[in-house]
Amino acid sequence: VSGENSSEYVALDTKTQPKYVEMIDCDNYVPDLTWSNSTLGFWNYIANNWMGKSDTFTDGTDVLISPQKNTTINISETVSPKTVVVKGEGKLTLQGTGAIAGTTSVNKTDDGTFVANTSNTYTGATILHKGIFSFASIANGGDASALGASIEYAQNWIWDGGTWSYTGATASTNRSAQIYNDTEFNIENNSTLT
């Protein structure tokens, strides 16, 4: 067209892959705080349910929860540990109105069962080495769920053994997973997960 300036622009949306973070060595993990073996308690900033550097929780600490019996922890606030390791033979249930947040990673090992019923916003990896990791919600990468809100890169959902057990309603996700060792994935309640 005579007398008019025109140009075409192409938009390109890209994502950069985050820096790879080494997995926690759960066998040699040295926590700042260890859950006090109370079988029922609150995880917040005032409850005295921890042993180690303090008997109360503070953000930025390495946390170990090692239940030998069935244990229920009610997260009543948004907490931001540096790392979380769940290790033990018992069943641990995390529930409540609070959430695990921050850049933390959540790591499950040993033969026990970990039931995650909170909608978490942490952006680090969720890693299963051994045992059962049961979760009631899943969402796209970046959105809160029982598996946190990490972006959908495979290094943020590590399958290193054990069994994932999805107990929520029918859902879909764009999350990718990195599979290191044989790992089962079960979907309960006649739900569908795509």
Side-chain angles (χ1 to χ4, degrees), residues 86-108:
V86 177
K87 180 180 182 178
E89 306 302 315
K91 178 181 178 181
L92 168 65
T93 301
L94 286 185
Q95 62 186 28
T97 57
I100 299 173
T103 58
T104 190
S105 65
V106 174
N107 306 266
K108 164 69 181 84

Side-chain angles (χ1 to χ4, degrees), residues 3 9 11 14 20 22 34 41-42 46-47 55 78 84 87 100 103 118 125 132 145 155-156 182 189 193:
Y9 293 94
T14 61
Y20 177 78
E22 295 269 338
T34 301
F42 288 92
I46 57 173
D55 62 356
T78 299
V84 176
K87 180 180 182 178
I100 299 173
T103 58
T118 52
I132 298 171
S145 74
Q155 75 244 26
N156 288 327
D182 290 343
N189 304 327
L193 185 60

Side-chain angles (χ1 to χ4, degrees), residues 142-183:
D143 295 333
S145 74
L147 299 175
S150 60
I151 56 177
E152 67 272 10
Y153 294 120
Q155 75 244 26
N156 288 327
W157 194 10
I158 304 294
W159 300 23
D160 191 35
T163 301
W164 295 100
S165 179
Y166 177 66
T167 61
T170 294
S172 64
T173 183
N174 66 350
R175 289 178 183 256
S176 301
Q178 180 74 41
I179 301 172
Y180 288 150
N181 287 301
D182 290 343
T183 306

